[in-house]
Amino acid sequence: MNNQLSVTAITIQRLVLLALTLLLAFSFSSVAADWVRGADPYVKNVLSTTGDPMQGHAIFQMNCAGCHGWKGEGKVGPSLCSVSKRKSRIRLIEQVISGKTPPMPQFKPSPQEMADLLSYLEGL
Ligand code: HEC
């Protein structure tokens, strides 16, 4: 009885340890992924450009509002309200240029346009 209990305890301990290790590995890999993307010349260029939110708003209405709503409130695509609190700038850029989450298409904005979009998204 006692023995069985301690076996269970050890199993639980191992599972907790495994979960913690996976969590750590996962958070490191996302930090590493951001680090690698941050070294990309396009991303670097966007991040060092000052965006104009008014321009960004215009670009948004032409390209994004059909899915994300006129003010980013969400339609076919999710609401982008305070999206910059959930996603880093690098991830926001990745979301727009990667085309990895269909039906959202892949966009190819110039670094200036991307910086404008970013400054608009950060105000949502
Ligand atoms: C054809 C519809 C469509 C268009 C056009 C579109 N999106 Fe999206 N977008 C989506 C969908 C659907 C998702 C959810 C993708 C997923 O995570 O699976 C999404 C997700 C996002 C996200 C991540 C939201 C979050 O909560 O993590 C951002 C940021 C975003 N879109 C920005 C943009 C911007 C900026 C544009 C214009 C340049 C744009 N989208 C154009 C459909 C669209």
Side-chain angles (χ1 to χ4, degrees):
M1 185 62 180
N2 240 348
N3 238 347
Q4 234 174 353
L5 253 187
S6 61
V7 168
T8 317
I10 290 177
T11 313
I12 291 177
Q13 264 180 2
R14 284 202 180 138
L15 284 177
V16 168
L17 212 66
L18 184 71
L20 284 178
T21 313
L22 287 177
L23 203 71
L24 203 70
F26 182 73
S27 53
F28 267 128
S29 69
S30 62
V31 168
D34 257 14
W35 191 69
V36 170
R37 286 192 203 103
D40 181 86
Y42 174 82
V43 172
K44 262 191 180 163
N45 201 341
V46 173
L47 293 179
S48 62
T49 306
T50 310
D52 172 1
M54 294 287 281
Q55 270 311 110
H57 187 46
I59 297 169
F60 186 87
Q61 290 187 328
M62 274 187 278
N63 298 282
C64 324
C67 288
H68 289 286
W70 200 239
K71 291 184 174 142
E73 72 276 15
K75 260 165 111 181
V76 184
S79 162
L80 300 180
C81 200
S82 33
V83 70
S84 63
K85 297 201 178 69
R86 299 194 293 276
K87 282 197 144 97
S88 68
R89 307 185 83 197
I90 295 179
R91 268 162 207 276
L92 288 174
I93 298 173
E94 166 92 357
Q95 173 75 39
V96 172
I97 65 173
S98 76
K100 278 186 195 149
T101 55
M104 179 160 155
Q106 178 175 30
F107 292 92
K108 293 187 161 65
S110 71
Q112 181 64 58
E113 288 166 338
M114 189 63 236
D116 294 342
L117 254 180
L118 211 50
S119 66
Y120 174 69
L121 290 178
E122 283 173 336
L124 287 177

